[in-house]
Amino acid sequence: PDTGDLAMRFGLHSGPVTAGVLRGDKSRFQLFGDTVNTASRIESTGIRNRIHISLETNNQLISFGKGNWTIPRDDMVVAKGKGQMKTFWLMPSGFKPEQYKEKIMNRTATPKAMSEVVQEGSLIPALAEENAKLLRLVDWVVEIMKRLLIQIEAKRFLEKRGLPREDNMIQHHESQILTKESNTLDEVEEIVTLPMVSSIPQSEINNAHVNLSDKVMEQLNLYVKTIATMYRQNHFHNFEHAAHVTMSVSKLMSRIVAPGIDFSSGTTSLHDHTFGITSDPLTQFAVVFSGLIHDVDHVGVPNFILSEENKHLGRKYKNKSVAEQNSVDLAWKLLMEPRFFELRKCIYHDVSELCRFRQLVVNTLLATDIFDKELQELRKMRWDKAFSRQSKRRTSGYENTVNRKATIVIEHLIQASDVAHTMQHWHIYQKWNERLFEEMYLAFKAGRASKNPALNWYEGELGFYDHYIIPLAKKLKDCGVFGVSSDEYLNYALENRNEWASKGKKVVAMLVAKYADVDGEEQDAVTNKPSSMRITSNSDHTTTDLMEPVRRPESYNEHAMNGRRTSLLRRNSAR
């Protein structure tokens, strides 16, 4: 979806310039002067896929009889170093002025949920008008979930041959879950029991001619669209992030069998190697579902700030995994609405399937809270029990061992997917890293956070890679079910970490210049480097520097201890 959303932003300004070729290793013809800087401001304050022009450029067009090519921008632009500017839009041939009426999302201290501007029960017309990319992401997620629902129905049909659904018992259990007095966190189990190996080969399930009804598809589309509107307009924790996590989950699920292993002996050996995860499409659907809903209603600040800002929510969840529990409860309550009855019928057919689906969703989503020390220790103990050399002696029963390993693998799968951008191409990591910085910096400027993230962003990223990302990538490899994907994730993590060690200070300087009021301690934090790396409002030279070949990185452990504490504080702010 990222490559399907490529767009350009244009800025034009007219005036005198100085031209010349700079000497050096990368000599090239360049333009200099205030006109170039102003054009840069016009571009940066523009909107994607539009041509933004200054008053001077507009006057030039009028002098040539082309005044009908432009329309004035409704609001005044505030450009850094320029103050307020009157600007215009240049309309491409065939476009009508009404098509250029802008709908710009305001940056507020506390982001609003999209659902606040969408009428309940509608098919989200505002979503369609405001952001076509979100609808494309919705379609992508729906397609992933549709494929798994078809497998659920196929497996159910082949195994149960149309046994009647336990509607009364299911409704009773659904009601019990909604009216429970305990917190969602209390439902987390050390071991989630998955079904025993199926006698139905996976190939038969894949080839079964099963179609979802129109009602199920309509409700699935509506549910995903409604979830999209429940995400707030944060810069990082938004629906695009949820879709990115969901797709990362789907990718890891699809590669959960290591290549080169002979499973010709039948479904049992495949079931054993993957700890039963690939044998149960409901399990896979539950994990994908968790990725979709994992940050619903996230307000752009960590749990400890959320508990202070919303004391009712903090008391409700006893100040433990507040955002995560809230996401589970909101998304589950939505799923239980009568308008999604057919969708629920497709997901689970009896009480055992309902209970397994609920347990998987709770365990999976609560695993995304990686900064609760108590939960960290419990996960570490479970990992040691499941995958340490002594695990066979410490666990009782083969089935128990397999289910424990499956539970741990699923938890690490969602954790890796939640930070998948750190283990993908450098430009993807850069994009999401900037969004996280912007989200946290705006929270700081709004007075919601006490610490300025700009002051230790570089060290924080190094520490986060050394103490969380790289160990997590190694665990994906150690559990032995992800095949080449685990190598891919680990290699990207190591490469990005080394790239950040080499270029991170320049990147931070660019971020501070772009988003921060560069003075005082902020400038001190990013200018502790040679004068050639000083912050400048024109990012052209900075961008050129970032494209230079990567120097041989420093050793992996050189920064291991440096920034450990700041990295946890920095990333804790992400929740």
Side-chain angles (χ1 to χ4, degrees):
D2 287 339
T3 55
D5 192 51
L6 294 177
M8 297 188 72
R9 192 171 58 194
F10 302 88
L12 300 179
H13 178 60
S14 301
V17 297
T18 300
V21 178
L22 289 182
R23 290 185 298 175
D25 293 336
K26 293 191 174 183
S27 299
R28 68 190 188 280
F29 182 82
Q30 296 186 77
L31 299 178
F32 305 91
D34 184 68
T35 299
V36 178
N37 293 336
T38 302
S40 175
R41 301 294 185 274
I42 297 296
E43 177 273 319
S44 62
T45 56
I47 297 176
R48 52 182 287 136
N49 294 329
R50 295 192 186 181
I51 303 173
H52 194 206
I53 67 174
S54 66
L55 176 63
E56 289 77 5
T57 301
N58 184 67
N59 291 339
Q60 290 282 340
L61 290 172
I62 291 175
S63 68
F64 284 94
K66 303 298 182 182
N68 61 318
W69 285 11
T70 68
I71 59 171
R73 181 168 178 164
D74 293 337
D75 58 326
M76 297 288 286
V77 169
V78 179
K80 187 174 181 180
K82 299 294 179 182
Q84 289 193 338
M85 300 178 65
K86 180 66 178 177
T87 58
F88 297 79
W89 300 116
L90 180 64
M91 294 187 297
S93 176
F95 277 68
K96 299 178 181 179
E98 57 266 22
Q99 292 177 288
Y100 261 56
K101 288 183 178 180
E102 52 201 301
K103 298 177 180 179
I104 304 174
M105 298 178 180
N106 293 323
R107 294 181 178 180
T108 56
T110 305
K112 293 183 179 180
M114 289 185 186
S115 56
E116 294 179 18
V117 295
V118 178
Q119 294 183 354
E120 186 177 356
S122 70
L123 286 177
I124 327 301
L127 186 62
E129 295 173 6
E130 290 289 340
N131 201 327
K133 180 177 182 178
L134 286 184
L135 282 180
R136 186 164 64 252
L137 292 173
V138 165
D139 291 341
W140 199 306
V141 172
V142 166
E143 188 61 31
I144 292 173
M145 301 177 81
K146 171 188 173 183
R147 185 173 65 250
L148 291 172
L149 286 175
I150 289 175
Q151 291 186 19
I152 290 173
E153 288 278 47
K155 184 172 184 283
R156 185 180 295 143
F157 172 77
L158 293 171
E159 286 185 341
K160 300 184 178 181
R161 302 296 177 182
L163 291 177
R165 190 171 185 268
E166 303 171 354
D167 286 327
N168 292 334
M169 295 181 65
I170 288 175
Q171 290 176 10
H172 174 71
H173 278 74
E174 289 175 341
S175 177
Q176 281 188 325
I177 294 172
L178 285 176
T179 58
K180 63 182 176 61
E181 295 183 1
S182 60
N183 283 333
T184 303
L185 184 60
D186 299 330
E187 298 179 47
V188 174
E189 295 288 348
E190 180 178 350
I191 300 174
V192 178
T193 302
L194 302 187
M196 296 293 291
V197 59
S198 173
S199 59
I200 309 296
Q202 186 65 38
S203 58
E204 189 173 341
I205 294 175
N206 293 336
N207 295 328
H209 297 289
V210 175
N211 294 314
L212 301 180
S213 69
D214 292 341
K215 284 188 176 181
V216 170
M217 284 305 305
E218 179 183 333
Q219 292 180 16
L220 177 61
N221 271 280
L222 178 59
Y223 184 81
V224 177
K225 286 181 179 178
T226 308
I227 285 292
T229 69
M230 294 168 68
Y231 275 85
R232 295 175 181 264
Q233 296 173 23
N234 301 308
H235 297 282
F236 182 92
H237 293 96
N238 50 35
F239 180 70
E240 186 179 349
H241 167 66
H244 188 257
V245 173
T246 303
M247 293 170 204
S248 298
V249 168
S250 179
K251 174 183 175 180
L252 281 174
M253 286 284 192
S254 67
R255 300 187 180 184
I256 209 166
V257 178
I261 297 178
D262 182 16
F263 294 117
S264 58
S265 56
T267 58
T268 302
S269 59
L270 173 61
H271 177 93
D272 293 346
H273 177 73
T274 63
F275 312 130
I277 298 174
T278 57
S279 304
D280 183 34
L282 178 58
T283 297
Q284 299 174 52
F285 180 86
V287 182
V288 168
F289 180 87
S290 301
L292 169 66
I293 69 171
H294 80 284
D295 274 333
V296 161
D297 199 41
H298 197 294
V299 297
V301 291
N303 277 326
F304 72 92
I305 296 179
L306 175 59
S307 296
E308 288 295 319
E309 290 184 349
N310 192 332
K311 295 188 181 298
H312 169 73
L313 212 59
R315 287 193 300 269
K316 178 180 179 181
Y317 297 120
K318 301 177 182 178
N319 296 320
K320 299 277 288 183
S321 303
V322 178
E324 292 80 7
Q325 293 192 76
N326 185 51
S327 295
V328 173
D329 289 350
L330 289 176
W332 190 269
K333 183 179 179 181
L334 175 68
L335 183 61
M336 293 301 111
E337 291 184 8
R339 55 180 171 157
F340 299 113
F341 176 71
E342 294 297 328
L343 176 59
R344 296 199 304 274
K345 281 177 61 178
C346 185
I347 297 173
Y348 47 83
H349 199 261
D350 54 37
V351 173
S352 65
E353 289 184 347
L354 165 60
C355 292
R356 186 164 76 256
F357 176 64
R358 169 72 182 186
Q359 190 64 66
L360 284 164
V361 170
V362 170
N363 264 54
T364 304
L365 199 150
L366 268 296
T368 61
D369 183 3
I370 63 175
F371 293 103
D372 186 288
K373 292 183 179 179
E374 184 179 342
L375 292 177
Q376 279 183 2
E377 288 301 317
L378 289 174
R379 292 190 198 105
K380 185 177 182 299
M381 290 172 56
R382 291 207 296 272
W383 174 271
D384 290 340
K385 285 183 180 179
F387 291 103
S388 69
R389 295 177 181 178
Q390 295 80 21
S391 61
K392 291 184 178 180
R393 294 200 299 265
R394 293 194 304 199
T395 55
S396 57
Y398 172 76
E399 182 181 350
N400 210 32
T401 300
V402 171
N403 286 326
R404 175 179 278 110
K405 289 183 176 182
T407 305
I408 292 296
V409 167
I410 289 171
E411 288 182 354
H412 285 75
L413 186 153
I414 191 69
Q415 289 172 357
S417 299
D418 199 17
V419 292
H421 64 282
T422 65
M423 296 178 273
Q424 294 173 342
H425 291 280
W426 169 254
H427 76 277
I428 296 177
Y429 164 63
Q430 281 283 76
K431 179 184 80 170
W432 288 103
N433 182 54
E434 178 177 343
R435 291 184 180 186
L436 184 60
F437 178 89
E438 184 177 8
E439 179 176 303
M440 294 176 63
Y441 188 79
L442 290 177
F444 167 71
K445 281 298 185 183
R448 304 176 71 200
S450 60
K451 295 187 177 181
N452 185 348
L455 301 183
N456 48 39
W457 196 264
Y458 172 75
E459 293 81 3
E461 283 296 287
L462 285 176
F464 191 57
Y465 266 105
D466 289 342
H467 304 296
Y468 182 72
I469 298 299
I470 292 173
L472 177 60
K474 287 182 176 180
K475 285 187 174 181
L476 291 181
K477 184 177 179 64
D478 291 344
C479 67
V481 298
F482 293 107
V484 294
S485 285
S486 58
D487 293 320
E488 176 187 320
Y489 274 52
L490 179 57
N491 290 338
Y492 273 126
L494 292 170
E495 290 174 6
N496 285 341
R497 189 265 178 213
N498 291 333
E499 194 104 353
W500 180 261
S502 175
K503 301 178 179 178
K505 289 184 179 180
K506 297 180 184 179
V507 174
V508 174
M510 190 168 61
L511 292 177
V512 170
K514 185 174 182 180
Y515 296 110
D517 298 328
V518 186
D519 55 12
E521 59 177 358
E522 289 176 356
Q523 183 151 5
D524 293 340
V526 297
T527 55
N528 184 22
K529 46 190 168 306
S531 58
S532 62
M533 294 168 60
R534 65 184 180 275
I535 300 173
T536 172
S537 59
N538 187 346
S539 62
D540 179 61
H541 296 292
T542 305
T543 304
T544 302
D545 291 340
L546 294 179
M547 296 303 292
E548 292 177 353
V550 183
R551 295 170 297 180
R552 191 62 199 161
E554 302 163 66
S555 63
Y556 166 77
N557 288 318
E558 186 165 337
H559 291 280
M561 298 308 298
N562 184 22
R564 177 181 178 90
R565 182 175 301 174
T566 57
S567 70
L568 294 179
L569 288 174
R570 210 276 296 162
R571 280 288 176 167
N572 193 23
S573 299
R575 291 299 309 184

